[in-house]
Amino acid sequence: MSNNQFKRGELYSVINGMATTAVARRLQKNFRKAGLDITIEQWSVLYHLWKEDGLSQLELGIRTFRDKASTTRLIDNLEKQELVIRVASKEDRRINLVYLTDIAKPLQQITYELANQTMNEALLNITKEEIEVVKNVLQRVYDNLTSKDLI
Amino acid sequence: MSNNQFKRGELYSVINGMATTAVARRLQKNFRKAGLDITIEQWSVLYHLWKEDGLSQLELGIRTFRDKASTTRLIDNLEKQELVIRVASKEDRRINLVYLTDIAKPLQQITYELANQTMNEALLNITKEEIEVVKNVLQRVYDNLTSKDLI
DNA sequence: GACATATAGTTAGTTATGCAACTAATATAA
DNA sequence: TTATATTAGTTGCATAACTAACTATATGTC
């Protein structure tokens, strides 16, 4: 994967952190076309587990911009599809650590390709510099609204 | 309302056209704090009716980036709260024209103020030029994904 | 050790989203 | 003018979002 391509794909998580998007719908459509039966919301959780397996539900919620309740149900559904399992932490039994199953692991490659392909469609005719500005601004908007009293 | 302030507020509709956001959540919170019992999704519909009353459901769907089904149910809920009424078009009886009620009309002022205030929080420390880039890029992303086979 | 407080996660209730299949009304074409 | 296709809107089904209230475990203080 070229470094440039992947950096473009990251914009998705920023935009998606902000909203349900045309990008999200297109990615969902591309998943379906490829025969993948996962929602982009489920994918956003898997995405972070592929980067670091065994995160707590709370940590997953923070990284995917979700509250506890939404995270619980997303993981309920992921567990139903046998894509993840919950394991109670030994240090602190309040905590559920979430692990990828062998079913989920091979999905990383194909979904990354679909995400890259989708972002290339979305970012056609948009320059690297513009993308940097958008990422930067949306992050600052998010920070402005979450640093103080929210969360 | 200063022209500059209002142009800033418009970013909301672009960002929101793309996603459910920290901005959306903050605006929802500000509505609640002000005692307004409407969701930001409902507000996005009212927003377009304040600009032009009596739009069809389909047209409202296009302007708010929703499909027909979602638009139907949003308007169901708005009608339940007596904020809008549906009137069958005389020219084409398939079409429902959606009109604001006297209950909805006075909400324009206060919700615009809350939206402006929210955008000022969100866009603190972000320049006019950056905002222009973000609006422009998100619009082009949307166009890239909707011009051809989607919609 | 006992009681209050904080934290991680779950559940209930409401709203919203998307897709697909449907109804009713209108437009097109033979 | 009748049959066919298109269009506007609705409904059923599944997933997902947020708030608020809840359970269970852990921490802190007296």
Side-chain angles (χ1 to χ4, degrees), chain A residues 52-68:
Chain A
E52 184 177 352
D53 205 6
L55 294 171
S56 71
Q57 295 193 189
L58 213 60
E59 184 57 33
L60 278 170
I62 291 166
R63 298 195 188 187
T64 62
F65 306 97
R66 286 184 179 87
D67 69 358
K68 295 188 298 180

Side-chain angles (χ1 to χ4, degrees), chain A residues 31-66:
Chain A
F31 278 1
R32 246 196 332 274
K33 257 197 289 189
L36 286 171
D37 192 24
I38 56 175
T39 66
I40 48 140
E41 289 83 5
Q42 293 172 350
W43 179 71
S44 72
V45 169
L46 297 177
Y47 179 89
H48 287 278
L49 292 176
W50 284 318
K51 291 207 283 188
E52 184 177 352
D53 205 6
L55 294 171
S56 71
Q57 295 193 189
L58 213 60
E59 184 57 33
L60 278 170
I62 291 166
R63 298 195 188 187
T64 62
F65 306 97
R66 286 184 179 87

Side-chain angles (χ1 to χ4, degrees), chain A residues 9 12 27 31 43 110-120:
Chain A
Y12 171 74
L27 183 53
F31 278 1
W43 179 71
I110 174 69
T111 61
Y112 276 31
E113 277 164 22
L114 291 169
N116 262 325
Q117 172 198 317
T118 304
M119 289 314 299
N120 285 336

Side-chain angles (χ1 to χ4, degrees), chain A residues 84-96:
Chain A
V84 304
I85 49 165
R86 282 186 246 235
V87 178
S89 163
K90 281 179 184 153
E91 287 81 40
D92 183 340
R93 303 215 346 257
R94 291 172 302 183
I95 297 175
N96 284 340

Side-chain angles (χ1 to χ4, degrees), chain B residues 1 5 7 14 35 71-72 98 113 126:
Chain B
M1 146 186 81
Q5 280 232 333
K7 289 202 91 163
V14 177
T71 306
T72 290
V98 182
E113 278 163 21
I126 294 173

